[in-house]
Amino acid sequence: MSHDSAPLVVVMGVSGSGKTTVGRLLARRLGVPYAEGDDFHPAANVEKMRAGHPLDDTDRRPWLEEIARWLAGHADSGGVVTCSALKRRYRDRLVSAAPRTLFLHLDGSPELIAERITARQGHFMAPQLLRTQFADLEPMGEDEAGAAIPIDGTPEETAALAYAAVTSA
């Protein structure tokens, strides 16, 4: 990362991995704007997920385009946005809009994440959708900019690992 530009980060991973919590902590520590990826979903997508139906690529397209637009708009100022970004082609789309985007994959076992989702209130992700998310997850390739961040610790510990990954990139 060059020191004349603030980092541009996508905090990615399956639902329940801690994207929102870690993303907010990371943005605060980096001193850059934060955006919640879920806020970019059209209402129809939210309803579909609430009903327990996974989104398909057609559903995801307008959502990814909005996140790509946000990244492009923050290319100079830097920022942190959450986005599941489970598939390589989704990440490629985001990088095409903002080439210096770094991906931080919040990485944890299906068991740990299922436990966290079950304990969580007021979120529209149905726990049964977790299986489809893990099935869709394509781990980052060697040629992708970013890092996998283990989520076994507290949110603060995870955010500290994320910060270290960003500042050493």
Side-chain angles (χ1 to χ4, degrees), residues 11-14 17-19 104-110 112-113 116 134 137 139 147-153 158:
V11 177
M12 63 167 279
V14 300
S17 58
K19 294 185 297 292
L104 295 182
H105 174 203
L106 300 187
D107 197 13
S109 72
L112 173 64
I113 294 172
R116 290 184 180 182
F134 270 103
L137 177 61
I149 308 294
I151 61 166
D152 320 73
T158 304

Side-chain angles (χ1 to χ4, degrees), residues 9-27 34-39 41 49 63 67 80-86 103-107 113 116-117 120 123-125 130 133 137 149 151 155 158-159 162:
V9 179
V10 172
V11 177
M12 63 167 279
V14 300
S15 185
S17 58
K19 294 185 297 292
T20 299
T21 304
V22 172
R24 282 192 179 123
L25 289 168
L26 179 62
Y34 169 77
E36 170 56 56
D38 286 345
D39 294 344
H41 274 298
M49 287 185 283
W63 172 66
I67 293 173
V80 174
V81 64
T82 57
C83 174
S84 51
L86 299 178
F103 293 93
L104 295 182
H105 174 203
L106 300 187
D107 197 13
I113 294 172
R116 290 184 180 182
I117 289 178
R120 190 164 72 173
H123 192 272
F124 55 70
M125 177 75 186
L130 186 59
Q133 291 215 336
L137 177 61
I149 308 294
I151 61 166
T158 304

